[in-house]
Amino acid sequence: MHSAYRDVQETKERDWVNEMTESFDVKLVEQAKYYTPDPSYREHAWTQNYTQAYEEFLADPEEFWAKIARHLEWFKPWNKVREWDYPYAKWFLGAQLNITHNCLDRHIETHRRNKVALIWRGEEGEERIYTYMKLYREVMRCANGLKRIGVQKGDRVCIYMPMVPEQIIAMLACARIGAVHSVVFGGFGVNALNMRINDADAKVVITADVAIRRGKTIQLKTTVEEAIINAPSVEKVVVLRREKDQPVELHPEIEIDFEEMMNGTPKECPPEVMDSEDPLFILYTSGSTGPPKGIVHTCGGYMVGTYYTSLHVFDIKDNDVYWCTADPGWITGHSYIVYGPLAVGATVVIAETTPDYPDPGSFWRIVQDLGVTVFYTAPTAIRMFMKVGETWPSKYDIRSLRVLGSVGEPLNPEAFEWYYKFIGDNRCPIVDTWWQTETGMQMITTMIGERMRPGFAGKPIPGIVADVVNKEGIPVAPGTGGFLVIKEPWPAMLRTVFKNDERYRKYWETIPGCYTAGDLAVKGHDGYIMVIGRADDIIIVSGHNIGTAEVESALVSHQAVAEAAVIGKPDPMKGNTIKAFLILRVGHTPSDRLKSDLIYHVRMTLGPIAMPQEIEFVEKLPKTRSGKIMRRVLKAKELGIDPGDISTLEE
Ligand code: PRX
């Protein structure tokens, strides 16, 4: 990991606003190094001149967004582009639409009718292909099936599925009929799923018998069976049965087969007419305290924001083959596998694969076989590829690649350079895109054709006003650390936190007048923004947000644990790993066996992504006099650094 990240990650939990400049690797900020893409990129880009586009936006923000929105089809036009009643925003007021009309019907009426919409690849190289026409038909069948089992506009549907086309079909089918989907990543365990089902009061859960990962089958349905035990809202579970030889048995009282649900339903399912501000989906993200937050996104603004960025940030053209390696269970999948790319009419690749199975060439084989041109992945994967070496990509012909993207955590300069050289052939622009579940769309990056600066995501894209400020909201001097904030509302922003509007307001009230992202950043003299990491108790492990609170509560739910404190430890591959400090209950003694038990317990309750890498049994935890655990003291001790101000520490 580059020293700039290491230094700053270590200090971020202290009074970093004051200390940042001292501990920061200033060289990286001051000695600017740029990569300039070939001018042909700029000539053909959807946004040809960043500065000019940004000025156009500033001159008339509403017209800027309206112009983009006019490319899409609305059942009824808006009568006002934006209403900003701080901290509440509404976009395209009075307009009516259905996002699936723009992702499907709009293309069926054009030359895209028979264009490939989705190409799915399985681990063994199996392939399934959907044209726009076929996807349209399948979405309508599924939508009619959902209606048949009683799903209505506004109902919440939980989708807990592996990465198969049906996962996307289910999402679009919900949107088609105005049901609100809440997709839960298939790697979450029983408690995590139960909590999300209950918080959303999901009426239906859509799942599959199994997911396939690294040659193994993972039972998803059994997790659902346990997760719905204390979930009174659930009326039906829809099961996609992938194992045809020995189909899993269904419990007819509550379970129904995915295919059966759709069989015999009418072919057509006209899109539900949605108000621009009607909810489209809920997606849970870790909170720095307490349970995960159900981030609510709405139809109109989200559609415009993801359409615009898919087109302008990835610069997608009609003949591109676009592959985002995320899972639709995360916001990256919602915005940049499903809604954005389909709204622009792209050919989208999805793959139920991991970057290292059956070997570290799996991604490059897909790029070669399918002729992928635009490729979007996470720094953790890039660092893994770096470690195994460039011989892997060099075995494949990946010259089809045209644009590379990165998301989820900082792309450190070493990883940027490796990606640029060995995947991008010293030719493909890299868009390091900073955004969040809450923002719904990409916010900061370096637009295609602009010069790129390793270590820096870039500038706010046209349409977005972002800055780096101190706690009072005053912009910090270039080269100084601060909080990353957004200063104006944007179309795809979250509208609330489901059942917790107070938590929503906190985003806008922490720093007066700004949306606080919770990230630390530094702005260079050139205006480029380097995102350093989280300023709160969220740990980003391999690009996945994990709240310390969630892991701690999973740990204390084990009978042996009295108290738990969890910290993130910088890791060269994963970004961070999780370490837990535990006080045991009387009668339990520390042992390696207990450690494995506890790790297994977290795996089963929260899921494999949240498992601690290390556990240490302690007698006491550092606390403030009011009883709050001071995780930064544990972290400082663990990393051998100065803990900063400890005046509030008890004793
Ligand atoms: O800390 C930032 C990091 O990921 C967080 C958002 O996580 P999530 O809501 O799961 O969405 C991830 C995919 C959009 C941010 O607060 N993050 C995301 N992208 C970047 C990043 N950190 C640095 N550079 C990025 N490009």
Side-chain angles (χ1 to χ4, degrees):
M1 191 186 278
H2 193 277
S3 57
Y5 294 100
R6 204 168 44 233
D7 291 350
V8 177
Q9 287 216 335
E10 284 167 4
T11 54
K12 76 180 185 192
E13 293 193 17
R14 291 189 273 162
D15 186 6
W16 54 270
V17 174
N18 300 321
E19 292 171 17
M20 182 81 75
T21 354
E22 294 158 36
S23 56
F24 196 70
D25 183 351
V26 192
K27 279 204 298 292
L28 190 68
V29 184
E30 284 178 354
Q31 291 173 1
K33 178 177 180 187
Y34 298 96
Y35 285 84
T36 308
D38 189 87
S40 61
Y41 273 101
R42 180 193 277 251
E43 270 163 45
H44 300 287
W46 287 105
T47 295
Q48 289 180 343
N49 184 331
Y50 167 81
T51 314
Q52 196 184 323
Y54 202 87
E55 279 165 9
E56 270 171 34
F57 154 65
L58 285 182
D60 191 347
E62 294 195 8
E63 180 48 28
F64 175 88
W65 285 112
K67 210 162 134 189
I68 297 161
R70 279 185 217 114
H71 290 220
L72 294 157
E73 290 177 1
W74 304 75
F75 302 142
K76 187 177 153 224
W78 53 91
N79 41 45
K80 198 172 172 192
V81 175
R82 176 187 112 163
E83 187 181 275
W84 182 218
D85 179 13
Y86 172 87
Y88 300 102
K90 288 184 181 164
W91 284 85
F92 306 106
L93 287 86
Q96 290 177 337
L97 74 146
N98 187 296
I99 195 166
T100 71
H101 172 88
N102 281 285
C103 293
L104 301 168
D105 313 42
R106 191 166 77 91
H107 306 310
I108 305 306
E109 291 148 21
T110 69
H111 64 284
R112 295 202 186 101
R113 183 185 182 87
N114 299 318
K115 180 177 173 175
V116 173
L118 278 186
I119 310 178
W120 173 85
R121 276 281 281 241
E123 265 190 354
E124 306 299 329
E126 324 86 287
E127 232 167 66
R128 286 169 65 193
I129 293 177
Y130 289 76
T131 60
Y132 271 93
M133 188 64 198
K134 183 169 169 189
L135 186 62
Y136 167 71
R137 286 266 173 244
E138 288 299 297
V139 168
M140 291 197 294
R141 281 182 70 217
C142 184
N144 281 329
L146 289 174
K147 275 190 188 168
R148 176 199 265 173
I149 62 167
V151 179
Q152 292 175 351
K153 181 174 180 175
D155 284 344
R156 269 83 57 203
V157 174
C158 172
I159 301 176
Y160 180 72
M161 292 184 89
M163 207 164 164
V164 286
E166 286 81 357
Q167 183 190 27
I168 294 175
I169 290 168
M171 290 167 75
L172 292 168
C174 288
R176 187 83 177 169
I177 61 174
V180 177
H181 59 68
S182 160
V183 183
V184 177
F185 174 59
F188 278 116
V190 174
N191 287 24
L193 178 60
N194 171 270
M195 187 260 125
R196 286 160 175 77
I197 291 172
N198 278 332
D199 190 78
D201 293 319
K203 187 171 182 180
V204 167
V205 179
I206 309 179
T207 189
D209 48 359
V210 294
I212 294 162
R213 198 174 163 83
R214 294 201 168 88
K216 292 195 197 111
T217 48
I218 297 159
Q219 303 297 324
L220 288 186
K221 182 173 168 284
T222 47
T223 304
V224 175
E225 282 166 12
E226 284 187 58
I228 61 167
I229 288 174
N230 284 310
S233 61
V234 178
E235 292 174 13
K236 275 266 177 268
V237 176
V238 183
V239 185
L240 175 75
R241 289 193 280 186
R242 304 178 71 190
E243 296 193 304
K244 302 287 178 213
D245 297 342
Q246 271 182 314
V248 68
E249 234 179 273
L250 300 182
H251 307 301
E253 324 77 74
I254 188 161
E255 293 173 349
I256 178 168
D257 178 77
F258 192 90
E259 281 296 323
E260 214 173 285
M261 170 186 82
M262 308 194 292
N263 278 345
T265 55
K267 266 191 168 157
E268 303 288 330
C269 178
E272 186 72 36
V273 175
M274 305 295 286
D275 184 89
S276 186
E277 285 295 320
D278 277 340
L280 174 64
F281 65 83
I282 300 173
L283 185 60
Y284 285 86
T285 188
S286 299
S288 50
T289 52
K293 303 166 283 192
I295 303 299
V296 178
H297 282 288
T298 51
C299 296
Y302 178 81
M303 173 175 77
V304 173
T306 54
Y307 165 83
Y308 161 64
T309 42
S310 296
L311 207 56
H312 288 250
V313 172
F314 292 127
D315 196 38
I316 295 179
K317 303 290 193 320
D318 227 354
N319 57 357
D320 272 315
V321 177
Y322 166 84
W323 182 23
C324 163
T325 68
D327 187 287
W330 307 111
I331 191 67
T332 305
H334 283 60
S335 301
Y336 300 110
I337 293 177
V338 185
Y339 293 111
L342 294 180
V344 305
T347 293
V348 178
V349 174
I350 52 167
E352 193 178 18
T353 48
T354 33
D356 55 355
Y357 183 88
D359 58 51
S362 66
F363 276 16
W364 317 126
R365 204 152 40 241
I366 293 178
V367 170
Q368 170 183 281
D369 289 359
L370 303 179
V372 173
T373 55
V374 182
F375 179 71
Y376 194 31
T377 197
T380 187
I382 299 166
R383 291 193 295 261
M384 190 280 286
F385 292 131
M386 241 172 111
K387 193 174 126 201
V388 297
E390 45 274 14
T391 47
W392 282 104
S394 72
K395 287 182 192 183
Y396 299 90
D397 181 358
I398 55 171
R399 285 171 302 175
S400 56
L401 289 171
R402 192 173 77 73
V403 173
L404 302 177
S406 172
V407 62
E409 57 185 313
L411 180 62
N412 49 303
E414 293 86 342
F416 177 100
E417 301 207 359
W418 189 91
Y419 197 27
Y420 188 70
K421 189 165 170 194
F422 295 109
I423 306 303
D425 191 23
N426 290 305
R427 153 181 70 80
C428 300
I430 296 178
V431 285
D432 173 2
T433 59
W434 177 88
W435 59 294
Q436 306 179 299
T437 304
E438 294 88 335
T439 69
M441 61 182 262
Q442 297 159 337
M443 306 291 277
I444 297 174
T445 194
T446 303
M447 301 291 282
I448 299 289
E450 297 297 315
R451 31 182 223 163
M452 298 162 283
R453 190 169 176 193
F456 289 72
K459 297 183 185 178
I461 64 169
I464 299 302
V465 186
D467 208 346
V468 182
V469 303
N470 66 15
K471 278 178 188 157
E472 283 70 49
I474 316 267
V476 295
T480 314
F483 293 101
L484 183 55
V485 297
I486 314 295
K487 293 190 153 172
E488 292 285 330
W490 63 101
M493 65 187 252
L494 76 163
R495 297 300 195 267
T496 186
V497 174
F498 194 62
K499 292 185 186 163
N500 191 353
D501 195 55
E502 197 183 319
R503 183 62 193 81
Y504 167 76
R505 286 197 302 274
K506 215 170 136 197
Y507 282 105
W508 288 94
E509 286 165 0
T510 305
I511 294 174
C514 306
Y515 166 86
T516 306
D519 282 319
L520 304 181
V522 175
K523 200 158 87 170
H525 293 271
D526 51 9
Y528 280 52
I529 293 172
M530 170 192 273
V531 181
I532 295 154
R534 298 293 310 179
D536 54 15
D537 285 327
I538 287 174
I539 309 171
I540 302 197
V541 184
S542 300
H544 300 151
N545 275 6
I546 316 278
T548 49
E550 253 192 307
V551 184
E552 288 163 4
S553 101
L555 284 163
V556 296
S557 72
H558 188 283
Q559 51 165 2
V561 180
E563 273 191 89
V566 161
I567 61 162
K569 272 176 80 170
D571 179 90
M573 295 292 288
K574 296 181 171 176
N576 292 284
T577 57
I578 298 174
K579 174 160 185 181
F581 296 85
L582 305 178
I583 302 179
L584 293 180
R585 284 173 191 254
V586 184
H588 294 272
T589 38
S591 70
D592 284 344
R593 170 72 210 280
L594 181 57
K595 277 188 192 172
S596 339
D597 249 27
L598 288 162
I599 291 173
Y600 182 73
H601 177 73
V602 177
R603 184 190 183 96
M604 294 315 286
T605 52
L606 271 182
I609 53 167
M611 287 193 306
Q613 178 118 337
E614 272 180 82
I615 286 185
E616 186 177 326
F617 298 111
V618 293
E619 297 288 325
K620 265 182 111 174
L621 288 169
K623 286 185 185 164
T624 60
R625 271 173 236 122
S626 60
K628 269 176 87 174
I629 296 173
M630 291 180 84
R631 293 181 191 82
R632 68 179 164 89
V633 173
L634 285 170
K635 186 159 179 172
K637 190 164 158 262
E638 183 68 27
L639 303 177
I641 54 169
D642 175 9
D645 179 9
I646 49 167
S647 56
T648 55
L649 195 65
E650 68 176 357
E651 289 166 32

